[in-house]
Amino acid sequence: MIAIDYRDRRPIYEQLIENIEEMAARGFLRGGSQLPSVRQMAADLSINPNTIQRAYSELESRGVIYVVKGKGTFISDDLGPLLTKKKEGLFVELDGLVRRAQLLSVSEESFLERCRLGFSKLKGGNGS
Amino acid sequence: MIAIDYRDRRPIYEQLIENIEEMAARGFLRGGSQLPSVRQMAADLSINPNTIQRAYSELESRGVIYVVKGKGTFISDDLGPLLTKKKEGLFVELDGLVRRAQLLSVSEESFLERCRLGFSKLKGGNGS
Amino acid sequence: MIAIDYRDRRPIYEQLIENIEEMAARGFLRGGSQLPSVRQMAADLSINPNTIQRAYSELESRGVIYVVKGKGTFISDDLGPLLTKKKEGLFVELDGLVRRAQLLSVSEESFLERCRLGFSKLKGGNGS
Amino acid sequence: MIAIDYRDRRPIYEQLIENIEEMAARGFLRGGSQLPSVRQMAADLSINPNTIQRAYSELESRGVIYVVKGKGTFISDDLGPLLTKKKEGLFVELDGLVRRAQLLSVSEESFLERCRLGFSKLKGGNGS
DNA sequence: GTGGTCTAGACCACG
DNA sequence: GTGGTCTAGACCACT
């Protein structure tokens, strides 16, 4: 399910966070469903439990997951805010990209064309 | 001219590199024009000369600038490859953004609309 | 293993790079094998860690080694490009030597003879 | 006559030395012929006189040229030692190249073939 | 004056 | 523990 790229420059805990957030936002992980325990996931991915713990803590503080003592860790029921926030973050990144494109004299048309290309290319597909 | 953001997670030398590359790619720095000396820029930005040196060194190995011994550092004359490379890198980033947008069920239309908005907003203006 | 020549005009970090590249290209260092930590090698060679760091950093950007965060530095698995590049670089140097030999009126035969001598002399042996 | 490459990593004075030595060794500059004065050559090449001076000094100490006070600077009459020395230096470099080629598993045959190629390619020609 | 290298020592993020 | 960044200050070669 979760793929970690050790050569990626981003820290592992961050990759974990994004991975889980993305799966939750996409509806791949339904609200209320249980996540593996820290130890379990650490064993599955052969990763230091501290790293898993860090990702879970961050996810909890973001409201993506919640912990029931003695029970386990679960995906939040209301993922609306998460989705909204991720979309907004994405749009902000897009704004930055557009700005840089303008500075490099990339035409609006070729930029939009590349977007369309990306949307059509991946339609239906589900890489990784 | 060059603004360093200390809160940015990226290292200073990397911000420097991108800043200079972008200015060169935009034609703001013409080929053959001289860059401030390592010490000068270090003083201007209140940064350690070694950090400037590192940025210059990397820029030279990328072919963006060249060094004349005892004279100084200059912008390369042929910046074509740089521009091409930067545009391509930007498009690759865009592809990633499109992919993520799809996963979040962002409609193609709203995505394109945001692009158009960005292009129109900055047209003519050049705010930081 | 690694010998630094302080009388050499080339900087230490460059000698380090070539040393490691050559060992990797020769198959002396297998893909995936771990390099000594920056601090360890610095201690071994009595060199400042920053200098080792610089060499490792350059080697990584060349794709000769890769870094796993918090774990260490490892030899890349695919060293094919490195070998090809090093051989080509060597041949280019050879071309320059041949050119200079011609200008000095060195006969082709005596040049080739010297090559043969070198090849036979070192066959099997591996002196420093 | 003399071509200086400002982007070359080697210092200018060294390029000057090799340029003049090579021309002398090749018989292009005959023994006894006069070299331009330091100021003259500095003006011709748009180079700092100090740099020319440094090259001339080194050439004199190597016995390639000699100075007659009030007259000027001249190519030595007996260039035999120079030629011998340059040839020997070239062979030493060749030995190093052969050693590196062996370490990279370059076959003796392909190495010799490249040599022959170089010799045939430049025969008669006189690049730069 | 210029860039380039090196040392020493500090601090940080990551695992 | 690992690598990565930065500062401070020194020395060098070249022009």
Side-chain angles (χ1 to χ4, degrees):
Chain A
M1 282 310 180
I2 294 181
I4 298 298
D5 181 3
Y6 288 96
R7 308 204 192 169
D8 194 326
R9 301 186 63 176
R10 292 181 314 173
I12 292 176
Y13 80 93
E14 210 171 295
Q15 293 185 50
L16 272 174
I17 290 172
E18 193 180 314
N19 242 303
I20 295 173
E21 273 196 343
E22 205 109 327
M23 286 198 295
R26 289 166 54 192
F28 203 85
L29 293 175
R30 294 274 167 96
S33 60
Q34 186 168 6
L35 282 168
S37 73
V38 169
R39 290 183 208 117
Q40 184 60 45
M41 181 165 286
D44 289 352
L45 302 176
S46 301
I47 282 179
N48 191 310
N50 290 333
T51 307
I52 310 289
Q53 183 58 52
R54 182 162 181 179
Y56 275 23
S57 299
E58 178 65 18
L59 283 167
E60 192 189 4
S61 79
R62 290 191 194 180
V64 181
I65 63 178
Y66 62 91
V67 174
V68 180
K69 279 180 182 166
K71 287 280 191 177
T73 307
F74 304 85
I75 301 290
S76 293
D77 300 295
D78 180 17
L79 291 169
L82 170 63
L83 207 108
T84 307
K85 197 182 161 199
K86 286 202 77 92
K87 281 183 184 174
E88 187 46 40
L90 189 143
F91 276 138
V92 169
E93 282 187 62
L94 179 56
D95 290 340
L97 224 53
V98 167
R99 195 191 102 259
R100 285 170 52 202
Q102 283 202 314
L103 295 178
L104 292 175
S105 305
V106 172
S107 78
E108 179 173 353
E109 197 37 59
S110 64
F111 192 92
L112 293 177
E113 193 45 50
R114 181 81 173 215
C115 294
R116 292 195 197 92
L117 185 71
F119 271 100
S120 66
K121 193 165 50 182
L122 287 158
K123 206 155 272 174
N126 183 4
S128 172
Chain B
M1 283 307 183
I2 294 183
I4 299 300
D5 180 3
Y6 288 96
R7 292 166 304 182
D8 194 327
R9 292 186 60 178
R10 292 179 316 167
I12 296 175
Y13 79 93
E14 212 170 295
Q15 294 185 48
L16 270 174
I17 289 172
E18 197 182 310
N19 244 302
I20 295 173
E21 270 195 346
E22 207 109 328
M23 286 199 292
R26 290 167 53 192
F28 203 84
L29 295 174
R30 295 260 169 111
S33 60
Q34 185 166 8
L35 258 55
S37 79
V38 171
R39 292 163 176 82
Q40 184 61 46
M41 182 166 284
D44 290 351
L45 302 176
S46 299
I47 284 176
N48 188 291
N50 280 330
T51 306
I52 311 288
Q53 172 67 32
R54 182 165 181 179
Y56 276 22
S57 183
E58 176 67 19
L59 283 167
E60 192 198 4
S61 81
R62 291 191 195 179
V64 180
I65 63 178
Y66 64 88
V67 169
V68 177
K69 282 190 163 62
K71 289 285 187 181
T73 307
F74 305 83
I75 301 289
S76 291
D77 301 294
D78 180 17
L79 258 31
L82 170 64
L83 201 87
T84 307
K85 199 181 158 196
K86 290 209 73 108
K87 283 183 182 173
E88 184 47 32
L90 190 141
F91 277 139
V92 168
E93 281 187 64
L94 179 56
D95 290 341
L97 226 53
V98 168
R99 196 193 99 261
R100 284 170 52 203
Q102 283 201 314
L103 294 177
L104 293 175
S105 303
V106 172
S107 78
E108 178 172 352
E109 196 36 58
S110 64
F111 192 92
L112 293 178
E113 193 46 50
R114 182 81 174 215
C115 294
R116 291 196 198 90
L117 185 70
F119 271 100
S120 65
K121 192 166 49 183
L122 286 158
K123 207 156 272 171
N126 185 5
S128 174
Chain C
M1 281 307 182
I2 293 181
I4 299 299
D5 181 2
Y6 288 94
R7 292 166 304 182
D8 194 328
R9 293 186 59 176
R10 293 179 316 169
I12 295 176
Y13 80 93
E14 211 171 296
Q15 293 184 50
L16 269 174
I17 289 173
E18 196 182 310
N19 244 303
I20 294 173
E21 269 196 346
E22 205 109 329
M23 286 199 293
R26 290 166 54 192
F28 203 84
L29 295 173
R30 295 261 170 109
S33 60
Q34 187 167 6
L35 257 53
S37 79
V38 170
R39 292 165 176 80
Q40 184 61 46
M41 182 165 284
D44 290 352
L45 302 177
S46 298
I47 283 175
N48 188 293
N50 280 330
T51 305
I52 311 288
Q53 172 68 30
R54 181 164 182 182
Y56 276 23
S57 183
E58 175 67 19
L59 284 166
E60 191 198 5
S61 80
R62 292 191 194 179
V64 180
I65 64 179
Y66 64 89
V67 168
V68 178
K69 281 190 164 61
K71 290 285 186 181
T73 307
F74 304 84
I75 301 289
S76 291
D77 301 295
D78 181 16
L79 259 30
L82 170 63
L83 200 85
T84 307
K85 199 181 158 196
K86 290 209 72 109
K87 281 183 184 176
E88 184 47 31
L90 190 142
F91 276 139
V92 167
E93 281 188 63
L94 180 56
D95 290 341
L97 226 52
V98 168
R99 196 192 99 260
R100 284 168 54 201
Q102 282 201 315
L103 295 177
L104 293 174
S105 304
V106 171
S107 77
E108 178 171 353
E109 196 37 57
S110 63
F111 192 92
L112 293 178
E113 192 47 48
R114 183 79 173 216
C115 294
R116 292 196 196 91
L117 185 70
F119 271 100
S120 65
K121 192 164 50 181
L122 285 159
K123 207 155 267 172
N126 185 7
S128 174
Chain D
M1 283 309 183
I2 294 183
I4 299 299
D5 181 2
Y6 288 96
R7 308 206 191 168
D8 194 327
R9 301 185 63 175
R10 291 180 315 171
I12 293 177
Y13 81 94
E14 210 172 296
Q15 293 185 49
L16 272 173
I17 290 171
E18 194 180 314
N19 243 303
I20 295 173
E21 272 196 343
E22 206 110 326
M23 286 198 293
R26 290 164 55 190
F28 204 85
L29 294 174
R30 294 274 167 97
S33 60
Q34 186 169 4
L35 282 169
S37 73
V38 169
R39 291 182 207 117
Q40 184 60 46
M41 181 165 284
D44 290 351
L45 302 176
S46 300
I47 282 178
N48 191 310
N50 290 332
T51 306
I52 311 288
Q53 183 58 51
R54 182 162 182 180
Y56 275 23
S57 298
E58 177 65 18
L59 284 167
E60 191 189 4
S61 79
R62 290 191 195 179
V64 180
I65 63 179
Y66 63 91
V67 174
V68 178
K69 279 180 181 167
K71 287 280 191 174
T73 307
F74 304 85
I75 300 290
S76 292
D77 301 293
D78 180 17
L79 292 168
L82 169 63
L83 208 111
T84 307
K85 198 183 161 196
K86 287 202 77 95
K87 282 184 183 173
E88 187 45 40
L90 190 145
F91 277 139
V92 168
E93 282 187 63
L94 180 56
D95 290 340
L97 225 52
V98 168
R99 194 191 102 259
R100 283 170 54 201
Q102 283 201 315
L103 295 178
L104 291 175
S105 306
V106 172
S107 77
E108 179 173 353
E109 196 37 57
S110 63
F111 192 92
L112 293 178
E113 192 47 48
R114 182 81 174 214
C115 294
R116 291 195 198 92
L117 185 71
F119 271 100
S120 66
K121 193 165 49 182
L122 286 159
K123 205 156 274 173
N126 183 6
S128 173

